[in-house]
Amino acid sequence: MKRTQVFLTTGLLVMSAAAVWLMTRSEQEPSSKVPAPSLPRPAVSVVAPPQAQAPLPMQPDVGVENEAASDLQRITIMLRDYRTIAGDNPIGSNAEIMQALSGDNPRQAKILPEDLPLNSSGELVDRWGTPYFFHQLSRNSMEIRSAGADRRMWTRDDIFTR
């Protein structure tokens, strides 16, 4: 290598090492500033103008969410009972699954309790009146999803089980 290439390569390596050192140093060590001397301050009374309070963010109703989770457990047990009788999960849309649980199955087994709420389309609905979403994961496993209090599926407040 020529002398100029050696100097350039060495210079680049030194500058790179210095840059890395400075970046890691600033992440690890807080900047040390000399604190300003504290001088006694005269007592001053400041009255802030009244401000309108911002509305508090909606807090989830834990009691209702626990009840909704209990509803999902009840549906899971109902599907387990269906699998025990029929051999596998019912398939189809929410309404088709409810028909199968109501006796429209090869064994004519009626597993759907009468107290569970169905909408006018024959779909099982959650506490907020939104149809549950059923997704068959395997022959023996099904995801059941409630849209939650916001009544919109696939948001943070959804309640689901697998």
Side-chain angles (χ1 to χ4, degrees), residues 82-130:
Y82 181 90
R83 277 193 308 272
T84 302
I85 294 169
D88 54 4
N89 279 322
I91 57 172
S93 66
N94 182 325
E96 292 168 331
I97 291 171
M98 292 308 108
Q99 285 176 341
L101 295 173
S102 297
D104 187 12
N105 57 62
R107 301 244 177 153
Q108 297 180 346
K110 294 181 182 177
I111 298 172
L112 184 67
E114 292 183 16
D115 65 327
L116 288 180
L118 301 178
N119 64 13
S120 60
S121 301
E123 298 171 312
L124 183 62
V125 295
D126 61 17
R127 301 186 158 268
W128 299 276
T130 308

Short mmCIF file of all heavy atoms in Angstrom, two decimals, residues 82-130:
data_model
loop_
_atom_site.label_atom_id
_atom_site.label_comp_id
_atom_site.label_asym_id
_atom_site.label_seq_id
_atom_site.Cartn_x
_atom_site.Cartn_y
_atom_site.Cartn_z
N TYR A 82 -70.14 -30.15 22.51
CA TYR A 82 -70.50 -30.48 21.13
C TYR A 82 -69.46 -31.43 20.52
O TYR A 82 -69.80 -32.42 19.88
CB TYR A 82 -70.63 -29.21 20.28
CG TYR A 82 -71.03 -29.50 18.86
CD1 TYR A 82 -72.37 -29.54 18.50
CD2 TYR A 82 -70.08 -29.73 17.87
CE1 TYR A 82 -72.76 -29.81 17.19
CE2 TYR A 82 -70.44 -29.99 16.57
CZ TYR A 82 -71.78 -30.04 16.23
OH TYR A 82 -72.16 -30.31 14.95
N ARG A 83 -68.17 -31.12 20.75
CA ARG A 83 -67.10 -31.98 20.22
C ARG A 83 -67.19 -33.38 20.79
O ARG A 83 -66.93 -34.36 20.09
CB ARG A 83 -65.73 -31.38 20.55
CG ARG A 83 -65.26 -30.34 19.61
CD ARG A 83 -63.78 -30.02 19.80
NE ARG A 83 -63.40 -29.71 21.16
CZ ARG A 83 -63.45 -28.50 21.71
NH1 ARG A 83 -63.89 -27.48 20.99
NH2 ARG A 83 -63.08 -28.31 22.95
N THR A 84 -67.55 -33.49 22.06
CA THR A 84 -67.68 -34.79 22.69
C THR A 84 -68.76 -35.62 21.99
O THR A 84 -68.59 -36.81 21.76
CB THR A 84 -68.01 -34.65 24.19
OG1 THR A 84 -66.97 -33.89 24.80
CG2 THR A 84 -68.13 -35.99 24.87
N ILE A 85 -69.85 -34.97 21.62
CA ILE A 85 -70.98 -35.67 20.98
C ILE A 85 -70.72 -35.89 19.49
O ILE A 85 -70.92 -36.98 18.97
CB ILE A 85 -72.28 -34.88 21.20
CG1 ILE A 85 -72.64 -34.88 22.67
CG2 ILE A 85 -73.41 -35.46 20.36
CD1 ILE A 85 -73.74 -33.92 23.04
N ALA A 86 -70.27 -34.84 18.79
CA ALA A 86 -70.16 -34.89 17.33
C ALA A 86 -68.78 -35.31 16.83
O ALA A 86 -68.65 -35.69 15.67
CB ALA A 86 -70.52 -33.53 16.74
N GLY A 87 -67.76 -35.23 17.64
CA GLY A 87 -66.43 -35.64 17.23
C GLY A 87 -65.51 -34.50 16.84
O GLY A 87 -64.30 -34.65 16.87
N ASP A 88 -66.04 -33.36 16.43
CA ASP A 88 -65.22 -32.21 16.11
C ASP A 88 -66.04 -30.93 16.26
O ASP A 88 -67.23 -30.98 16.58
CB ASP A 88 -64.60 -32.30 14.72
CG ASP A 88 -65.62 -32.55 13.62
OD1 ASP A 88 -66.82 -32.59 13.92
OD2 ASP A 88 -65.21 -32.69 12.46
N ASN A 89 -65.40 -29.78 16.04
CA ASN A 89 -66.08 -28.50 16.19
C ASN A 89 -67.14 -28.30 15.12
O ASN A 89 -67.00 -28.78 14.00
CB ASN A 89 -65.07 -27.35 16.06
CG ASN A 89 -64.31 -27.11 17.33
OD1 ASN A 89 -64.86 -27.19 18.41
ND2 ASN A 89 -63.03 -26.79 17.21
N PRO A 90 -68.19 -27.54 15.44
CA PRO A 90 -69.11 -27.13 14.38
C PRO A 90 -68.38 -26.16 13.47
O PRO A 90 -67.48 -25.44 13.90
CB PRO A 90 -70.25 -26.45 15.14
CG PRO A 90 -69.64 -26.00 16.42
CD PRO A 90 -68.56 -26.98 16.74
N ILE A 91 -68.74 -26.13 12.19
CA ILE A 91 -68.07 -25.24 11.25
C ILE A 91 -69.07 -24.29 10.64
O ILE A 91 -70.27 -24.53 10.64
CB ILE A 91 -67.33 -26.02 10.15
CG1 ILE A 91 -68.30 -26.93 9.40
CG2 ILE A 91 -66.17 -26.80 10.72
CD1 ILE A 91 -67.70 -27.59 8.18
N GLY A 92 -68.56 -23.17 10.13
CA GLY A 92 -69.40 -22.19 9.46
C GLY A 92 -69.37 -20.85 10.15
O GLY A 92 -68.53 -20.57 11.00
N SER A 93 -70.33 -20.02 9.78
CA SER A 93 -70.45 -18.69 10.37
C SER A 93 -71.04 -18.80 11.77
O SER A 93 -71.45 -19.89 12.20
CB SER A 93 -71.36 -17.82 9.49
OG SER A 93 -72.68 -18.35 9.51
N ASN A 94 -71.12 -17.69 12.44
CA ASN A 94 -71.72 -17.65 13.77
C ASN A 94 -73.12 -18.26 13.74
O ASN A 94 -73.45 -19.14 14.54
CB ASN A 94 -71.75 -16.20 14.26
CG ASN A 94 -72.29 -16.02 15.65
OD1 ASN A 94 -73.20 -16.73 16.09
ND2 ASN A 94 -71.76 -15.05 16.36
N ALA A 95 -73.96 -17.83 12.79
CA ALA A 95 -75.33 -18.32 12.71
C ALA A 95 -75.37 -19.82 12.41
O ALA A 95 -76.19 -20.56 12.99
CB ALA A 95 -76.11 -17.55 11.64
N GLU A 96 -74.49 -20.30 11.53
CA GLU A 96 -74.44 -21.73 11.21
C GLU A 96 -74.00 -22.56 12.42
O GLU A 96 -74.52 -23.66 12.66
CB GLU A 96 -73.52 -21.98 10.02
CG GLU A 96 -74.05 -21.40 8.72
CD GLU A 96 -73.03 -21.37 7.61
OE1 GLU A 96 -71.81 -21.27 7.89
OE2 GLU A 96 -73.46 -21.43 6.45
N ILE A 97 -73.05 -22.03 13.18
CA ILE A 97 -72.61 -22.73 14.39
C ILE A 97 -73.75 -22.78 15.40
O ILE A 97 -73.98 -23.81 16.03
CB ILE A 97 -71.35 -22.04 14.97
CG1 ILE A 97 -70.16 -22.27 14.02
CG2 ILE A 97 -71.04 -22.55 16.37
CD1 ILE A 97 -68.92 -21.48 14.37
N MET A 98 -74.51 -21.69 15.54
CA MET A 98 -75.65 -21.69 16.47
C MET A 98 -76.72 -22.69 16.03
O MET A 98 -77.34 -23.36 16.85
CB MET A 98 -76.24 -20.29 16.61
CG MET A 98 -75.33 -19.29 17.31
SD MET A 98 -74.70 -19.87 18.90
CE MET A 98 -72.99 -20.19 18.52
N GLN A 99 -76.93 -22.82 14.71
CA GLN A 99 -77.88 -23.82 14.21
C GLN A 99 -77.42 -25.22 14.58
O GLN A 99 -78.23 -26.05 15.01
CB GLN A 99 -78.05 -23.71 12.70
CG GLN A 99 -78.86 -22.53 12.25
CD GLN A 99 -78.92 -22.42 10.73
OE1 GLN A 99 -78.10 -22.99 10.02
NE2 GLN A 99 -79.89 -21.66 10.25
N ALA A 100 -76.12 -25.49 14.41
CA ALA A 100 -75.59 -26.81 14.75
C ALA A 100 -75.75 -27.09 16.25
O ALA A 100 -76.12 -28.19 16.65
CB ALA A 100 -74.12 -26.90 14.35
N LEU A 101 -75.52 -26.07 17.07
CA LEU A 101 -75.65 -26.25 18.52
C LEU A 101 -77.11 -26.35 18.95
O LEU A 101 -77.42 -26.86 20.03
CB LEU A 101 -74.97 -25.09 19.27
CG LEU A 101 -73.46 -25.01 19.10
CD1 LEU A 101 -72.93 -23.73 19.73
CD2 LEU A 101 -72.77 -26.22 19.68
N SER A 102 -78.01 -25.88 18.10
CA SER A 102 -79.45 -25.94 18.40
C SER A 102 -80.08 -27.25 17.97
O SER A 102 -81.29 -27.43 18.11
CB SER A 102 -80.18 -24.78 17.70
OG SER A 102 -79.72 -23.56 18.19
N GLY A 103 -79.30 -28.16 17.40
CA GLY A 103 -79.84 -29.47 17.04
C GLY A 103 -79.72 -29.79 15.56
O GLY A 103 -80.03 -30.91 15.15
N ASP A 104 -79.30 -28.85 14.75
CA ASP A 104 -79.13 -29.10 13.32
C ASP A 104 -77.75 -29.72 13.09
O ASP A 104 -76.85 -29.09 12.54
CB ASP A 104 -79.30 -27.81 12.52
CG ASP A 104 -79.30 -28.04 11.02
OD1 ASP A 104 -79.40 -29.21 10.59
OD2 ASP A 104 -79.18 -27.04 10.28
N ASN A 105 -77.58 -30.95 13.57
CA ASN A 105 -76.33 -31.68 13.45
C ASN A 105 -76.66 -33.16 13.27
O ASN A 105 -77.81 -33.56 13.48
CB ASN A 105 -75.43 -31.43 14.68
CG ASN A 105 -76.10 -31.80 15.98
OD1 ASN A 105 -76.45 -32.95 16.21
ND2 ASN A 105 -76.27 -30.81 16.85
N PRO A 106 -75.70 -33.98 12.85
CA PRO A 106 -76.00 -35.39 12.57
C PRO A 106 -76.61 -36.15 13.76
O PRO A 106 -77.45 -37.03 13.57
CB PRO A 106 -74.64 -35.98 12.20
CG PRO A 106 -73.84 -34.82 11.70
CD PRO A 106 -74.34 -33.64 12.47
N ARG A 107 -76.27 -35.79 14.96
CA ARG A 107 -76.82 -36.48 16.14
C ARG A 107 -78.07 -35.80 16.69
O ARG A 107 -78.64 -36.25 17.67
CB ARG A 107 -75.75 -36.54 17.23
CG ARG A 107 -74.51 -37.27 16.79
CD ARG A 107 -74.33 -38.47 17.59
NE ARG A 107 -73.17 -39.21 17.11
CZ ARG A 107 -72.49 -39.98 17.87
NH1 ARG A 107 -72.78 -40.10 19.13
NH2 ARG A 107 -71.48 -40.65 17.37
N GLN A 108 -78.44 -34.66 16.11
CA GLN A 108 -79.57 -33.85 16.55
C GLN A 108 -79.49 -33.48 18.03
O GLN A 108 -80.49 -33.39 18.73
CB GLN A 108 -80.89 -34.57 16.24
CG GLN A 108 -81.10 -34.77 14.75
CD GLN A 108 -82.40 -35.48 14.43
OE1 GLN A 108 -83.05 -36.05 15.30
NE2 GLN A 108 -82.77 -35.43 13.17
N ALA A 109 -78.25 -33.26 18.47
CA ALA A 109 -78.00 -32.89 19.86
C ALA A 109 -78.25 -31.40 20.03
O ALA A 109 -77.73 -30.58 19.28
CB ALA A 109 -76.57 -33.23 20.24
N LYS A 110 -79.06 -31.06 21.04
CA LYS A 110 -79.35 -29.65 21.35
C LYS A 110 -78.49 -29.25 22.54
O LYS A 110 -78.76 -29.64 23.66
CB LYS A 110 -80.83 -29.47 21.64
CG LYS A 110 -81.69 -29.74 20.43
CD LYS A 110 -83.15 -29.54 20.73
CE LYS A 110 -83.96 -29.87 19.48
NZ LYS A 110 -85.38 -29.76 19.72
N ILE A 111 -77.48 -28.44 22.25
CA ILE A 111 -76.52 -28.04 23.29
C ILE A 111 -76.67 -26.58 23.65
O ILE A 111 -76.30 -26.15 24.73
CB ILE A 111 -75.09 -28.34 22.80
CG1 ILE A 111 -74.97 -29.84 22.56
CG2 ILE A 111 -74.04 -27.86 23.76
CD1 ILE A 111 -73.71 -30.27 21.91
N LEU A 112 -77.26 -25.77 22.77
CA LEU A 112 -77.37 -24.33 22.98
C LEU A 112 -78.41 -24.04 24.06
O LEU A 112 -79.59 -24.33 23.88
CB LEU A 112 -77.76 -23.63 21.68
CG LEU A 112 -77.83 -22.12 21.71
CD1 LEU A 112 -76.44 -21.53 21.94
CD2 LEU A 112 -78.42 -21.59 20.42
N PRO A 113 -78.00 -23.45 25.19
CA PRO A 113 -78.98 -23.08 26.22
C PRO A 113 -79.89 -21.96 25.71
O PRO A 113 -79.48 -21.12 24.92
CB PRO A 113 -78.12 -22.57 27.38
CG PRO A 113 -76.73 -23.02 27.09
CD PRO A 113 -76.63 -23.18 25.62
N GLU A 114 -81.10 -21.96 26.17
CA GLU A 114 -82.08 -20.97 25.70
C GLU A 114 -81.80 -19.56 26.22
O GLU A 114 -82.29 -18.60 25.65
CB GLU A 114 -83.49 -21.41 26.08
CG GLU A 114 -83.93 -22.65 25.33
CD GLU A 114 -85.35 -23.05 25.67
OE1 GLU A 114 -86.10 -22.22 26.23
OE2 GLU A 114 -85.70 -24.19 25.36
N ASP A 115 -81.01 -19.44 27.29
CA ASP A 115 -80.78 -18.12 27.87
C ASP A 115 -79.65 -17.34 27.17
O ASP A 115 -79.44 -16.17 27.47
CB ASP A 115 -80.48 -18.23 29.37
CG ASP A 115 -79.18 -18.97 29.65
OD1 ASP A 115 -78.84 -19.89 28.88
OD2 ASP A 115 -78.53 -18.64 30.65
N LEU A 116 -78.95 -17.96 26.23
CA LEU A 116 -77.91 -17.21 25.52
C LEU A 116 -78.55 -16.31 24.47
O LEU A 116 -79.44 -16.75 23.74
CB LEU A 116 -76.91 -18.17 24.86
CG LEU A 116 -75.97 -18.89 25.81
CD1 LEU A 116 -75.03 -19.81 25.04
CD2 LEU A 116 -75.16 -17.91 26.63
N PRO A 117 -78.09 -15.05 24.38
CA PRO A 117 -78.73 -14.09 23.48
C PRO A 117 -78.34 -14.29 22.00
O PRO A 117 -77.16 -14.38 21.68
CB PRO A 117 -78.23 -12.74 23.99
CG PRO A 117 -76.91 -13.05 24.61
CD PRO A 117 -77.03 -14.43 25.18
N LEU A 118 -79.35 -14.35 21.15
CA LEU A 118 -79.14 -14.41 19.70
C LEU A 118 -79.77 -13.17 19.09
O LEU A 118 -80.80 -12.69 19.55
CB LEU A 118 -79.80 -15.66 19.11
CG LEU A 118 -79.35 -17.02 19.63
CD1 LEU A 118 -80.15 -18.14 18.97
CD2 LEU A 118 -77.86 -17.23 19.39
N ASN A 119 -79.16 -12.66 18.02
CA ASN A 119 -79.76 -11.51 17.33
C ASN A 119 -80.77 -12.01 16.30
O ASN A 119 -81.02 -13.22 16.19
CB ASN A 119 -78.68 -10.61 16.71
CG ASN A 119 -77.88 -11.29 15.61
OD1 ASN A 119 -78.24 -12.35 15.12
ND2 ASN A 119 -76.78 -10.67 15.23
N SER A 120 -81.34 -11.10 15.53
CA SER A 120 -82.38 -11.48 14.57
C SER A 120 -81.84 -12.35 13.44
O SER A 120 -82.61 -13.04 12.77
CB SER A 120 -83.03 -10.21 13.98
OG SER A 120 -82.04 -9.43 13.33
N SER A 121 -80.51 -12.38 13.25
CA SER A 121 -79.90 -13.23 12.23
C SER A 121 -79.53 -14.60 12.76
O SER A 121 -78.95 -15.41 12.05
CB SER A 121 -78.64 -12.56 11.67
OG SER A 121 -78.94 -11.31 11.11
N GLY A 122 -79.85 -14.86 14.03
CA GLY A 122 -79.53 -16.15 14.63
C GLY A 122 -78.09 -16.25 15.10
O GLY A 122 -77.60 -17.35 15.35
N GLU A 123 -77.40 -15.12 15.25
CA GLU A 123 -76.02 -15.11 15.71
C GLU A 123 -75.96 -14.91 17.22
O GLU A 123 -76.73 -14.13 17.77
CB GLU A 123 -75.24 -13.98 15.04
CG GLU A 123 -75.15 -14.09 13.54
CD GLU A 123 -74.56 -12.84 12.91
OE1 GLU A 123 -74.99 -11.73 13.26
OE2 GLU A 123 -73.66 -13.00 12.08
N LEU A 124 -75.04 -15.60 17.85
CA LEU A 124 -74.80 -15.42 19.28
C LEU A 124 -74.11 -14.08 19.47
O LEU A 124 -73.13 -13.77 18.78
CB LEU A 124 -73.92 -16.55 19.81
CG LEU A 124 -73.63 -16.56 21.30
CD1 LEU A 124 -74.92 -16.71 22.11
CD2 LEU A 124 -72.65 -17.68 21.64
N VAL A 125 -74.62 -13.25 20.38
CA VAL A 125 -74.06 -11.91 20.60
C VAL A 125 -73.50 -11.79 22.01
O VAL A 125 -73.93 -12.48 22.93
CB VAL A 125 -75.11 -10.80 20.33
CG1 VAL A 125 -75.52 -10.79 18.87
CG2 VAL A 125 -76.33 -10.96 21.22
N ASP A 126 -72.54 -10.87 22.15
CA ASP A 126 -71.91 -10.64 23.45
C ASP A 126 -72.75 -9.68 24.29
O ASP A 126 -73.85 -9.29 23.90
CB ASP A 126 -70.47 -10.14 23.28
CG ASP A 126 -70.37 -8.82 22.53
OD1 ASP A 126 -71.39 -8.10 22.40
OD2 ASP A 126 -69.26 -8.50 22.07
N ARG A 127 -72.24 -9.27 25.42
CA ARG A 127 -72.95 -8.38 26.35
C ARG A 127 -73.28 -7.03 25.75
O ARG A 127 -74.15 -6.33 26.23
CB ARG A 127 -72.11 -8.14 27.60
CG ARG A 127 -71.77 -9.38 28.31
CD ARG A 127 -71.07 -9.13 29.61
NE ARG A 127 -71.28 -10.32 30.39
CZ ARG A 127 -72.28 -10.49 31.23
NH1 ARG A 127 -73.12 -9.52 31.44
NH2 ARG A 127 -72.42 -11.61 31.89
N TRP A 128 -72.57 -6.65 24.70
CA TRP A 128 -72.78 -5.35 24.08
C TRP A 128 -73.61 -5.46 22.79
O TRP A 128 -73.76 -4.49 22.06
CB TRP A 128 -71.43 -4.70 23.79
CG TRP A 128 -70.66 -4.49 25.07
CD1 TRP A 128 -70.79 -3.44 25.93
CD2 TRP A 128 -69.68 -5.35 25.64
NE1 TRP A 128 -69.94 -3.60 27.00
CE2 TRP A 128 -69.24 -4.77 26.84
CE3 TRP A 128 -69.12 -6.57 25.27
CZ2 TRP A 128 -68.28 -5.35 27.67
CZ3 TRP A 128 -68.16 -7.14 26.09
CH2 TRP A 128 -67.76 -6.54 27.26
N GLY A 129 -74.12 -6.66 22.51
CA GLY A 129 -74.98 -6.86 21.35
C GLY A 129 -74.25 -7.09 20.04
O GLY A 129 -74.86 -7.08 18.98
N THR A 130 -72.95 -7.32 20.10
CA THR A 130 -72.15 -7.56 18.90
C THR A 130 -71.98 -9.06 18.70
O THR A 130 -71.68 -9.78 19.65
CB THR A 130 -70.76 -6.90 19.05
OG1 THR A 130 -70.94 -5.53 19.42
CG2 THR A 130 -69.96 -7.00 17.77
#
